[in-house]
Amino acid sequence: GQENIANIKTAIKNGESITTIIRNYKKNGALFYNELTISPVYDDAGVLVNFIGVQNDVTARMELEKRISDFYSMISHELRTPVSSINASLDALADGSVTKLSASGAKLVKIALSNCKRLIGLINNILDWKKLQAGKFKLQLQPWPAEEIIDTVIQEITPVCTLRKIRLEKVVENGTQVVMDPERITEVLVNLVSNAIKFSPDDTTISINLKCSDDKNARAKYSVIDKGCGISPENLDKLFLQFQQIDSSEKRSKGGTGLGLAISKAIIDLHHGKIGVNSKPNEGSTFWFTIPELDYADIIRPHQD
């Protein structure tokens, strides 16, 4: 689109590399998607002398991704109503408002309710991703106590940790108010902590750190540190891509849509922040993200879909 063409012009003007996808037409008039990579060439004196361009027809890949995305969206919309109804029924059984359950019955309902809520989370991930792709995903920014995000996440996730004897440790340095969308930042932190729990051994500690500073590019920095299996260097770049999961039997067994980290990155991008991971195999992982200082003039009114 026009935005991608403008980005190419900007990259050339600044002497920077860029890879983007533009729509083009073949000689027979057929529309295709052209992945274009442009890289600057400098001489020994550091002077820009040329650009090299490489293009690939990625139409088949784009069409496949669209079919997958449309399939996910259709399934999600069809599932959300019946799953929400099941969840409400299980909630009523679990709190005893319908009937008194035996100990074994209450345990089974608790397991079913936990899995039902997990399914709702997966469905919401897919629908959120569709909103992000369509540009309809809006932030509701407001000043918010940065430390309160961690407290909310710990309260939400502690029941899951109890079963595995995993402890959540909060470490805060200079907690303060930061302009953010608290619901969405909570979603990001929940996702990072949930992933840490998945890949951590039982009876270990996961540390959730927060550091607030005067750095306008990183007004708040959250880190989630685990003692799990770690991530190999060749897999690090895959983590924040849509529908991507690290392909090993151990990790695949953990489940998921492969969208959680992609959505988290998109949310942090909308905050103009950064997100990343430091990890080595068998040495655990540290997932982190930053929120820069946002001008109060940028605060967005609550969005109505």
Side-chain angles (χ1 to χ4, degrees), residues 99 165 260 280 286:
T99 185
K165 296 182 180 179
K280 292 181 180 179
T286 298

Side-chain angles (χ1 to χ4, degrees), residues 51-257:
F51 282 90
I52 295 177
V54 179
Q55 58 181 357
N56 292 297
D57 184 345
V58 293
T59 304
R61 189 189 81 195
M62 296 291 289
E63 290 178 347
L64 176 60
E65 288 179 357
K66 185 178 185 304
R67 286 198 294 272
I68 292 173
S69 179
D70 288 346
F71 172 75
Y72 269 64
S73 182
M74 181 270 292
I75 292 297
S76 300
H77 281 287
E78 292 296 324
L79 284 177
R80 185 151 71 165
T81 299
V83 170
S84 295
S85 177
I86 293 169
N87 185 74
S89 299
L90 289 171
D91 263 328
L93 286 172
D95 66 20
S97 60
V98 175
T99 185
K100 185 172 178 61
L101 298 172
S102 64
S104 58
K107 184 177 180 180
L108 289 173
V109 167
K110 186 176 180 181
I111 293 171
L113 185 58
S114 174
N115 281 282
C116 191
K117 290 186 183 299
R118 178 171 171 267
L119 181 55
I120 290 173
L122 296 178
I123 292 169
N124 288 338
N125 267 358
I126 296 168
L127 296 178
D128 277 350
W129 186 249
K130 291 296 293 181
K131 280 187 177 182
L132 283 161
Q133 289 182 313
K136 295 179 179 179
F137 193 99
K138 306 296 182 183
L139 297 181
Q140 298 180 28
L141 298 176
Q142 57 187 296
W144 199 263
E147 184 177 349
E148 190 173 305
I149 301 294
I150 298 180
D151 293 335
T152 301
V153 171
I154 289 177
Q155 183 178 8
E156 180 175 335
I157 292 186
T158 292
V160 179
C161 297
T162 303
L163 297 173
R164 300 265 313 278
K165 296 182 180 179
I166 290 177
R167 297 168 295 279
L168 298 180
E169 173 188 56
K170 180 177 74 170
V171 180
V172 176
E173 182 179 339
N174 301 328
T176 187
Q177 282 202 339
V178 177
V179 176
M180 65 171 78
D181 182 330
E183 182 177 344
R184 294 305 182 182
I185 292 300
T186 299
E187 180 181 341
V188 172
L189 196 57
V190 164
N191 183 49
L192 297 187
V193 176
S194 296
N195 281 344
I197 292 170
K198 285 181 185 179
F199 301 117
S200 290
D202 290 354
D203 199 17
T204 55
T205 299
I206 294 171
S207 181
I208 309 173
N209 294 7
L210 167 65
K211 180 179 180 181
C212 294
S213 70
D214 294 330
D215 183 354
K216 291 187 176 181
N217 295 318
R219 191 75 177 87
K221 180 176 182 178
Y222 292 88
S223 303
V224 177
I225 306 167
D226 68 56
K227 297 179 176 66
C229 53
I231 304 163
S232 59
E234 63 269 20
N235 283 323
L236 288 175
D237 291 339
K238 299 178 183 179
L239 289 173
F240 297 99
L241 302 178
Q242 61 174 322
F243 303 123
Q244 290 288 327
Q245 291 181 313
I246 297 174
D247 190 15
S248 78
S249 58
E250 178 185 357
K251 292 178 176 61
R252 289 291 299 172
S253 68
K254 306 296 183 180
T257 60

